[in-house]
Amino acid sequence: MTSDEERYYVAENLRSLAHGNFIYYKEQFFDELAQTVLGLEGYHDFNAVLEKLADLINPEGGDDD
């Protein structure tokens, strides 16, 4: 389960990314997003980033409808 501390940390880093960088290409955007959300450098697939974002938004999981 995702902790509140992790959620706040990622949110702070996303806000920092939004204000501190100029991103010109979608590939650059995805690389920056993946590194910020997953905390790792290197290859990340879209599914891993989407799953982590979903966990950060709704840590309880389950049906989001």
Side-chain angles (χ1 to χ4, degrees):
M1 181 184 278
T2 303
S3 69
D4 284 342
E5 183 177 312
E6 182 180 13
R7 292 173 61 224
Y8 298 140
Y9 177 78
V10 171
E12 180 180 322
N13 287 340
L14 287 171
R15 287 186 185 96
S16 177
L17 182 64
H19 298 289
N21 293 317
F22 290 101
I23 297 175
Y24 298 101
Y25 303 102
K26 62 184 173 185
E27 293 84 3
Q28 180 186 6
F29 169 77
F30 180 71
D31 288 344
E32 295 285 345
L33 179 65
Q35 183 175 350
T36 300
V37 172
L38 298 175
L40 305 168
E41 292 190 35
Y43 174 78
H44 304 290
D45 63 41
F46 287 106
N47 292 346
V49 174
L50 293 174
E51 284 288 330
K52 186 62 177 181
L53 285 172
D55 289 344
L56 291 166
I57 293 167
N58 182 7
E60 303 300 317
D63 189 8
D64 294 330
D65 293 333

